[in-house]
Amino acid sequence: MSDLHFYNSYTRQKEKFESITPGYAGLYVCGPTVSGESHLGHARPYITFDVVQRYLKHLGYKVRYVRNITDAGHFEEEGRDAIDKVGEKAKLEKLEPMEMVHKYTSLFHHGMRLFNCEEPAIEPTATGHIVEQISMIQTIIEKGYAYEVNGSVYFDVKKYAQGYPYGKLSGRILEDQLETTRELDGQDEKRNKVDFALWKSAPPEHIQRWISPWGEGFPGWHIECSAMSSKYLGETFDIHGGGMDLMFPHHESEIAQSTIAHGHPPVRYWMHNNMITINGKKMGKSYNNVIKLSELFSGNHPILEQAYHPMVVRFYILQTHYRSTLDFGNEALQGSERALRRLWEAYDVLKKLSHPGTTEPKDENLDRQVSAWIAEFNDFMNDDFNTAKVIANMFELAPVINGMKGGQIAGGALSLATFTLLQENFKLFIEDILGLQPLAVAQSNKLDGIISVLIEIRADAKKRKDFATSDEIRNKLLKAGITLKDEKDGSVSYSLD
RNA sequence: GGUCGGAUGGCCGAGUGGCUAGGCACAGCUCUGCAAAAGCUGCUACAGCGGUUCGAAUCCGCUUUCGACCUCCA
């Protein structure tokens, strides 16, 4: 089997993955800012890195997956202006940061569960690590790469750039930055516009504030990730992930801060997922084209023709390589829904199939082909987590599976060994690694009993050639969202929408 | 304006030099009381123009066009 390779955004090439501590892998992913409800765009990184994390585990790594919650900083919430203008009114009418943070964190977790994203090992919050952040800022000041102005602390990017490759990750040149911004920036407290805040002095009306050596204030956006990732994963860790839009300034700043504070770069491999677009434009607040997760799942949005199941969204995302943009569209989502249904049905069939136990395949070519498709599951994942190709192979296997059930393919066409391999690996990849689930959740026993009764009545009617009655039962059940299928062997199966 | 990345059949999307994914949709056939499902078959595209090559969607150049980042952003 080949080794895991994936694209390192820092070096801009695919590299073989070698963890710092053999057998262990550290993964840090920038989590959400919980000042608003998560949207479809947020689903991409968390699903992408959930699969990364699952696959690393499959390869035998003991994974520590850390994903933060950004609950400190300069929050903007819908309606915040109105609330702030109320100013000195009753306490209950004021925005309580903890309340908002709690609400959106809960919603985020709910969304993650629906997407079947496994929980990170550690989910640190920025507000819970103020001490660590202050300490790191102090170190940077001591080393001479940060300065204080009016209670705020800024990182001296220009000085840093003299000794370190600032801009390498995001591919920008400091000189350009300085030139394009200099004239706009006469009155700022920063020495250069490119400098970024490590700590911000809080104006009196700012509600989130902590005591620091520089007065009351709150941490800058970038420092939290550096402080928390180094605390839980070490000063140098394996993989840092996040959306491409975070490369600059966020990730670039993280590198600079950590490099000064710890004396070496923080991350071995940088991974960035691409954006989800809608009508070709990135989904984001500034474009006013956001589809929130709750809207997506309920279909309650002008752009949406229907509601979409979380698993359809997960499948849709995994059908595309994580480094490509993914354009949202109703037709595409609907296609994914049908595709996932078909795939899952084949998987269900496979689980129930039995094998005659013959060790020699009756159809050597098919046996060889099936073995190859299965072997490729690993190869594709090892090549930059190509979930799209894994899924394509599953669709190659689906007709084989269905054919074995339908009789188009003979019972012992595959050897017992290949058949077993197929069963094991299909489960492994579709459930454990891609993390997919069936669309219709397990029906209750009672419902099962009721439908069985109806199926019996219908079978009686059919026996009497009373097709009017049998069709009526089937059609009415269909309207209720239950599809009956007359199987070739005379049995009847059903599925829920 | 600067930097970077795209442009693949009706739609979504893999794919980096020859073997030309996959899904959805569509059409025909088989099975079937009829359906549904399933199976089989068909649909062969790579923005345009040059160039390199025995051979290019894939490499190079130009053009057109879309987008991302440069400010909070997954």
Side-chain angles (χ1 to χ4, degrees):
Chain A
M1 206 207 326
S2 60
D3 299 305
L4 173 62
H5 289 70
F6 58 84
Y7 186 84
N8 183 350
S9 313
Y10 193 73
T11 57
R12 291 158 197 256
Q13 58 189 17
K14 282 186 196 170
E15 292 177 4
K16 182 179 169 186
F17 177 65
E18 284 173 318
S19 70
I20 294 162
T21 309
Y24 291 80
L27 170 65
Y28 187 91
V29 174
C30 290
T33 301
V34 284
S35 62
E37 196 186 331
S38 302
H39 61 256
L40 174 58
H42 293 111
R44 174 101 104 144
Y46 306 129
I47 289 171
T48 298
F49 290 106
D50 182 52
V51 172
V52 167
Q53 174 269 131
R54 284 163 179 266
Y55 191 65
L56 287 169
K57 280 185 192 162
H58 160 67
L59 292 179
Y61 290 100
K62 207 162 181 324
V63 179
R64 181 176 292 166
Y65 174 26
V66 180
R67 186 183 63 205
N68 68 296
I69 295 280
T70 298
D71 59 350
H74 213 99
F75 284 159
E76 300 280 338
E77 192 194 27
E78 312 90 273
R80 186 190 76 103
D81 287 349
I83 294 167
D84 269 8
K85 276 171 194 156
V86 176
E88 298 305 315
K89 283 183 96 182
K91 192 164 183 93
L92 272 176
E93 289 181 39
K94 279 205 233 168
L95 179 65
E96 192 59 55
M98 195 71 191
E99 192 177 4
M100 175 179 74
V101 159
H102 183 255
K103 174 180 163 190
Y104 291 121
T105 302
S106 298
L107 270 174
F108 172 69
H109 285 152
H110 182 238
M112 289 302 105
R113 269 193 299 277
L114 291 176
F115 282 132
N116 197 27
C117 288
E118 291 183 345
E119 280 186 36
I122 301 174
E123 193 171 58
T125 60
T127 56
H129 296 77
I130 299 294
V131 173
E132 287 84 352
Q133 296 178 68
I134 288 176
S135 153
M136 193 167 174
I137 294 168
Q138 281 176 313
T139 305
I140 297 170
I141 293 176
E142 280 160 25
K143 298 206 173 171
Y145 283 85
Y147 54 91
E148 187 210 332
V149 184
N150 301 330
S152 292
V153 181
Y154 296 98
F155 189 90
D156 191 337
V157 171
K158 204 172 176 185
K159 178 169 180 184
Y160 174 79
Q162 284 161 7
Y164 302 94
Y166 182 79
K168 187 183 170 190
L169 176 70
S170 53
R172 60 202 70 220
I173 300 153
L174 183 65
E175 277 64 40
D176 295 346
Q177 301 278 113
L178 288 170
E179 273 162 34
T180 51
T181 54
R182 200 171 272 155
E183 70 265 25
L184 300 167
D185 190 50
Q187 319 217 326
D188 205 69
E189 355 182 273
K190 296 181 196 173
R191 289 180 190 164
N192 292 290
K193 176 90 190 270
V194 288
D195 294 352
F196 56 88
L198 296 169
W199 186 266
K200 279 181 176 170
S201 167
E205 67 275 14
H206 197 87
I207 34 191
Q208 268 193 319
R209 51 208 305 133
W210 290 269
I211 304 284
S212 80
W214 318 284
E216 284 193 16
F218 57 96
W221 176 37
H222 315 306
I223 195 75
E224 60 165 297
C225 285
S226 294
M228 296 189 289
S229 61
S230 60
K231 173 163 181 174
Y232 297 112
L233 295 173
E235 291 184 1
T236 304
F237 57 95
D238 295 307
I239 304 171
H240 189 132
M244 266 183 186
D245 51 349
L246 297 181
M247 274 174 127
F248 190 91
H250 187 52
H251 293 330
E252 199 73 68
S253 302
E254 274 188 55
I255 293 174
Q257 292 164 350
S258 293
T259 301
I260 293 305
H262 302 137
H264 46 77
V267 174
R268 284 275 278 268
Y269 304 91
W270 285 91
M271 282 183 75
H272 291 94
N273 62 276
N274 215 317
M275 301 291 103
I276 289 183
T277 59
I278 185 155
N279 295 324
K281 281 228 165 57
K282 175 184 162 184
M283 184 173 294
K285 268 183 196 162
S286 38
Y287 294 107
N288 229 338
N289 61 355
V290 167
I291 300 173
K292 292 174 187 165
L293 294 185
S294 58
E295 294 166 337
L296 189 65
F297 300 154
S298 68
N300 183 25
H301 189 285
I303 297 171
L304 300 175
E305 287 172 10
Q306 61 168 84
Y308 296 101
H309 187 107
M311 273 308 122
V312 170
V313 177
R314 185 175 178 115
F315 183 70
Y316 173 66
I317 285 172
L318 294 179
Q319 267 183 304
T320 306
H321 189 88
Y322 74 91
R323 286 195 286 117
S324 301
T325 54
L326 169 58
D327 198 43
F328 169 88
N330 280 290
E331 207 180 332
L333 258 301
Q334 285 156 12
S336 288
E337 182 175 326
R338 295 199 184 170
L340 177 58
R341 264 218 172 86
R342 192 164 88 81
L343 189 61
W344 203 272
E345 243 168 75
Y347 173 47
D348 274 338
V349 166
L350 178 63
K351 283 190 280 191
K352 290 175 198 151
L353 276 180
S354 56
H355 189 273
T358 43
T359 47
E360 289 302 313
K362 280 189 200 155
D363 187 337
E364 268 185 50
N365 282 333
L366 184 69
D367 191 271
R368 207 175 303 123
Q369 179 65 75
V370 167
S371 304
W373 279 327
I374 295 167
E376 280 174 339
F377 285 163
N378 270 300
D379 296 339
F380 292 154
M381 288 301 283
N382 282 335
D383 184 14
D384 205 15
F385 303 101
N386 200 327
T387 54
K389 282 189 141 190
V390 171
I391 290 172
N393 269 25
M394 288 179 174
F395 277 107
E396 297 281 12
L397 289 164
V400 176
I401 294 165
N402 289 326
M404 286 193 278
K405 182 198 179 200
Q408 295 93 339
I409 293 172
L414 303 179
S415 70
L416 178 62
T418 303
F419 179 79
T420 307
L421 205 65
L422 174 62
Q423 279 190 322
E424 288 171 356
N425 279 275
F426 215 91
K427 190 235 176 256
L428 176 67
F429 277 86
I430 200 170
E431 284 199 59
D432 302 342
I433 292 173
L434 297 185
L436 294 169
Q437 294 174 320
L439 287 177
V441 194
Q443 44 274 66
S444 74
N445 288 336
K446 273 186 190 168
L447 180 62
D448 196 57
I450 292 166
I451 293 173
S452 299
V453 169
L454 289 168
I455 287 175
E456 276 174 41
I457 294 171
R458 180 165 168 272
D460 268 358
K462 275 174 71 179
K463 219 180 265 173
R464 297 191 311 267
K465 304 249 185 229
D466 177 5
F467 295 122
T469 304
S470 73
D471 285 353
E472 191 188 353
I473 291 173
R474 188 177 60 200
N475 292 338
K476 285 192 170 167
L477 281 176
L478 187 64
K479 272 190 183 167
I482 299 160
T483 308
L484 295 189
K485 280 187 275 187
D486 292 326
E487 303 288 355
K488 287 216 167 64
D489 60 6
S491 70
V492 181
S493 66
Y494 70 91
S495 58
L496 304 180
D497 285 352

